[in-house]
Amino acid sequence: MNVRSLQRVIEAIPTSDGAGVKLRRSLGQSAWARVDPFLMLDHFSTENPDDYIAGFPSHPHRGFETVTYMLDGHMQHQDHLGNTGDLKSGGVQWMTAGRGIIHSEMPQQEQGRMRGFQLWINLPAKEKMKPAGYRDIQSAEIPVVTLPGGARVKVIAGTLQVDGRATAGPIQGISTDPLYFDIELPAGASFVHPIAPGYHAFVYPFEGSVEVGSAGKRRGLKTHHAGVLSDGDAVELTGCEQGGRIILLAAKPLLEPIVQYGPFVMNTREEVEQAVRDYQSGKLTEASL
Ligand code: FE2
């Protein structure tokens, strides 16, 4: 087994997006801070309503997927297709912007904790202009597996394979074959899992910290730092003294050129300019109406 080691660390920086929602951005803070096909990872976590109440009013996307994982709180999605979706604690919204979607994501609470992630996953060139779509996945549809040793894994996308037992998450069949696990690791507990060689992978502790790598070669990774893994065929994570909670992401890289202008992510400058023109002239979403 060739266990992946910690290759690069991207510290999340405080920023804001939407109408002033405070968040921490690790992936996506600059063009080098991407892990193909993952374009961006935003983490929002606050008890202060002023940090989230303005939400994300109507805005467009083209060329990729947005995945929102709500840890605590309640947001409502509305889009140009007339869809309304409630995103509640423990639930996930998997949205394929494809050719274009215009949506809003607004808080449905005036107090209390709001905590979660938004991840952007790129689409291959041949799928960037497919019709938009989305899925709301309730917390109860996401399997949670407790492993010997105490690790607890929530399987959002891909399949958990431990001791010959497979547990499939609700999201399957995406062409980049993503794995998305939320892993709780008590102090000293380990989590070992295969990841296909060539796939890109990273971890992000959002509570406590974690050690990455096999015994003798472990390196610590602190809260709010994205740890990009080297190539290999497995990942090994170990809970530090206080334990930790981490998301693990892995996927097949696209190895295609990326040209991004805000919420439009295409392969060429011409395609991005087209996206801007389509948005300005009301044609961004035409084919998906
Ligand atoms: Fe959005």
Side-chain angles (χ1 to χ4, degrees), residues 7-86:
Q7 189 178 52
R8 184 158 68 107
V9 175
I10 303 166
E11 183 177 1
I13 53 168
T15 184
S16 67
D17 210 336
V21 177
K22 291 211 173 113
L23 45 85
R24 289 186 177 89
R25 180 163 295 161
S26 48
L27 269 61
Q29 59 185 249
S30 69
W32 69 266
R34 295 179 181 132
V35 182
D36 178 18
F38 302 110
L39 299 164
M40 193 186 82
L41 179 70
D42 282 350
H43 175 41
F44 45 95
S45 177
T46 178
E47 315 263 338
N48 179 1
D50 292 343
D51 291 344
Y52 61 75
I53 205 74
F56 301 88
S58 186
H59 61 278
H61 296 284
R62 174 180 278 182
F64 59 101
E65 308 195 80
T66 70
V67 181
T68 311
Y69 174 27
M70 204 69 173
L71 292 161
D72 301 288
H74 184 188
M75 297 252 265
Q76 191 178 68
H77 153 107
Q78 285 187 317
D79 64 38
H80 75 281
L81 297 165
N83 297 313
T84 300
D86 272 320

Side-chain angles (χ1 to χ4, degrees), residues 139-245:
S139 182
E141 299 172 62
I142 305 175
V144 180
V145 180
T146 302
L147 305 175
R152 194 170 149 271
V153 186
K154 204 165 158 179
V155 187
I156 296 166
T159 301
L160 177 76
Q161 299 168 55
V162 177
D163 298 331
R165 209 179 121 215
T167 306
I171 295 291
Q172 303 282 337
I174 307 274
S175 52
T176 46
D177 191 26
L179 194 76
Y180 191 165
F181 295 165
D182 170 359
I183 306 164
E184 208 175 308
L185 279 176
S190 275
F191 173 74
V192 182
H193 197 271
I195 296 178
Y199 277 39
H200 290 171
F202 73 95
V203 290
Y204 182 95
F206 60 97
E207 287 176 18
S209 53
V210 66
E211 291 194 331
V212 181
S214 55
K217 294 183 194 166
R218 285 178 189 152
R219 272 183 66 194
L221 183 67
K222 289 188 270 184
T223 326
H224 304 140
H225 289 68
V228 184
L229 307 183
S230 66
D231 201 8
D233 55 21
V235 59
E236 183 171 337
L237 305 172
T238 307
C240 291
E241 253 169 55
Q242 312 297 322
R245 197 165 162 198

Side-chain angles (χ1 to χ4, degrees), residues 59 61 66 95 103 105 118:
H59 61 278
H61 296 284
T66 70
M95 186 180 84
H103 76 151
E105 298 146 299
Q118 185 166 98

